[in-house]
Amino acid sequence: MTARLADIAAQAGVSEATVSRVLNGKPGVAAGTRESVLAALDVLGYERPVRLRQRSAGLVGLITPELDNPIFPALAQVIGQALTRQGYTPVLATQTPGGSTEDELTEMLVDRGVSGIIFVSGLHADTTADTARYDQLRGQGVPFVLINGFSPKVQAPFVSPDDRAAMQLAVTHLSALGHTRIGLAVGPKRFVPVLRKIEGFVAGMQERLGLGAEEADELVQHSLYTLEGGQAAATALIGRGCTAIICASDMMALGAIRAARQQGLRVPQDVSVVGFDDSPLIAFTDPPLTTIRQPVQAMGQAAVRTLLEEIAGTPAPHTEFVFMPELVVRGSTASGPGRG
């Protein structure tokens, strides 16, 4: 051990005591000196102690809920590319039903010494979840950024699309086409993006169609963010006389189209459908889907930029960066009944 310390000290041009301090993770060593010692370890072919790999391996964890919804791989690709360009190696950790939980994935990434973590649509978006897990992560000195779903209790930067504005865009589009019975198919009520979409929808219905909050609320159907979920929600909304349906994901929108066709209705002649995300390939469905485009590129790059600032020790404020979505009009929306 002493011989090894002497070799490292000579290679790094520092004292053996300094090498010892670095290897034992003791404070009071300048960052440049610390890097010299770690570089000397590498040059001499010594393994870095596990705890010292944390800030030098350049790994960044990315935790996503699942990869079935195309929006998550799209975000992962943008984030992965942005990290790679900055010399970091992205580590994708995906939650699967019956598989690892967000907490288990976080622990696994921290054990592997990641420099930081980006959470996409994680427990931070769930209003019923305990946010103490994020305080604990901050206490461990691991920087992180959260995408989708703001929580005032979590001390970290957030990146989100403007869900309220998105719904108002969709309501404006459909009401301009002459639809007066517009339904909203969304996920479970406990999620922040869902609550925001409902707020935007209700505000849009009040503003464009003069509907009261209670009347608008009756046109909201909660379901799962899946094709089957969209189908179930749309079936219920069509049963309530809706001639247009706004869905909280493109997958749900595909389910809504299926629901309409099962009832012998045509899209868009009898029922108009609007999706959310503008996932890859969604322009090529039958009919091509009108949808709200999430600014994936801008959001992914902002998340990486913010995380790297945190890693560099110049943390961004505890705030939410909100990105404006846009309406992409294609073939799944048309004039309402009696309008052509």
Side-chain angles (χ1 to χ4, degrees):
M1 181 66 192
T2 313
R4 193 172 75 164
L5 277 180
D7 290 346
I8 298 164
Q11 179 68 35
V14 298
S15 69
E16 288 182 34
T18 300
V19 172
S20 179
R21 291 184 78 78
V22 171
L23 294 182
N24 290 304
K26 294 279 170 39
V29 181
T33 307
R34 194 169 165 282
E35 285 306 314
S36 299
V37 172
L38 294 176
L41 278 180
D42 297 340
V43 168
L44 295 169
Y46 291 127
E47 268 299 291
R48 293 188 182 197
V50 172
R51 67 178 167 277
L52 293 183
R53 292 175 205 165
Q54 187 167 335
R55 297 289 170 257
S56 54
L59 300 176
V60 169
L62 173 62
I63 300 181
T64 65
E66 33 94 2
L67 295 177
D68 293 340
N69 186 335
I71 195 64
F72 295 128
L75 262 171
Q77 185 172 18
V78 170
I79 290 167
Q81 286 172 342
L83 285 168
T84 304
R85 277 197 299 273
Q86 297 296 327
Y88 285 84
T89 303
V91 181
L92 181 62
T94 307
Q95 297 175 64
T96 48
S100 299
T101 63
E102 181 181 309
D103 289 341
E104 286 166 348
L105 292 174
T106 302
E107 190 180 342
M108 177 268 289
L109 289 169
V110 172
D111 285 349
R112 277 161 179 71
V114 292
S115 300
I117 300 175
I118 296 174
F119 293 88
V120 180
S121 301
L123 288 167
H124 62 275
D126 187 338
T127 55
T128 63
D130 180 7
T131 56
R133 53 177 51 85
Y134 299 110
D135 298 334
Q136 185 185 345
L137 190 58
R138 180 159 293 288
Q140 290 172 303
V142 180
F144 58 95
V145 173
L146 306 127
I147 298 180
N148 279 341
F150 178 73
S151 170
K153 298 181 206 158
V154 180
Q155 294 295 311
F158 288 81
V159 174
S160 308
D162 192 331
D163 289 299
R164 295 185 189 94
M167 294 301 103
Q168 288 175 305
L169 283 173
V171 170
T172 299
H173 170 62
L174 293 168
S175 61
L177 289 170
H179 294 277
T180 54
R181 293 287 288 176
I182 302 169
L184 174 63
V186 283
K189 201 168 187 171
R190 66 182 190 274
F191 295 110
V192 171
V194 171
L195 296 171
R196 287 177 168 183
K197 284 185 177 77
I198 293 170
E199 283 173 25
F201 174 76
V202 170
M205 295 293 276
Q206 285 175 324
E207 193 180 309
R208 303 291 306 187
L209 298 168
L211 254 66
E214 276 187 30
E215 289 175 285
D217 259 342
E218 284 169 15
L219 297 171
V220 176
Q221 183 67 37
H222 295 279
S223 191
L224 299 174
Y225 284 107
T226 58
L227 197 138
E228 294 76 15
Q231 186 176 348
T235 301
L237 291 168
I238 291 167
R240 285 177 219 159
C242 291
T243 61
I245 298 168
I246 303 166
C247 299
S249 78
D250 290 336
M251 296 293 281
M252 291 181 89
L254 296 180
I257 292 171
R258 186 199 271 180
R261 287 178 175 159
Q262 276 191 340
Q263 295 187 42
L265 300 170
R266 297 164 302 160
V267 177
Q269 294 89 336
D270 303 314
V271 179
S272 284
V273 176
V274 177
F276 188 90
D277 286 337
D278 196 27
S279 318
L281 303 181
I282 215 69
F284 307 103
T285 56
D286 176 29
L289 191 66
T290 294
T291 189
I292 304 283
R293 177 180 291 160
Q294 276 207 62
V296 168
Q297 196 78 27
M299 285 170 56
Q301 288 174 348
V304 170
R305 198 163 52 244
T306 309
L307 183 71
L308 297 189
E309 284 172 6
E310 295 260 323
I311 291 170
T314 52
H318 168 231
T319 188
E320 183 178 25
F321 301 97
V322 180
F323 289 79
M324 190 65 188
E326 64 179 297
L327 177 72
V328 183
V329 179
R330 297 195 183 104
S332 65
T333 49
S335 295
R339 283 283 296 264

